[in-house]
Amino acid sequence: MNLVERAKAPTPKFFKVLRSIGLALLAISGTIVAAPVALPAVVVSAAGYLVVAGGVISAISQITVDQEAETDEAILKQLQKDNENLARDGNE
């Protein structure tokens, strides 16, 4: 399974929540880093680390795969492929 297939595959619920948290961290810290107001160096430095952490959390959460859902999708695809070969009236 390559990276694109992993990204398109279904994600478990826990990792969906974790991905949302990572994206929120990324947005908030990105706003702090890009703020036009002079902020203390500690705040800007911490926000820089949170940008990295949010990006990593989101990326890792996106490429986790729910094996059960993936197996179910594979079964459905196989059934659809098998049904394409049946006659229109349903008789074999």
Side-chain angles (χ1 to χ4, degrees), residues 2 4 7 10 25 32 35-36 47 57 61-62 66 69 71 74 78 85-86:
N2 64 21
V4 174
L25 271 176
I32 292 171
I57 289 171
S61 296
Q62 179 62 44
D66 188 1
T71 304
Q78 184 62 39
N85 295 328
L86 292 177

Side-chain angles (χ1 to χ4, degrees), residues 9-28:
T11 304
K13 184 178 182 200
F14 171 74
F15 287 102
K16 286 181 183 178
V17 171
L18 198 60
R19 180 183 61 202
S20 297
I21 292 169
L23 289 173
L25 271 176
L26 193 63
I28 292 168

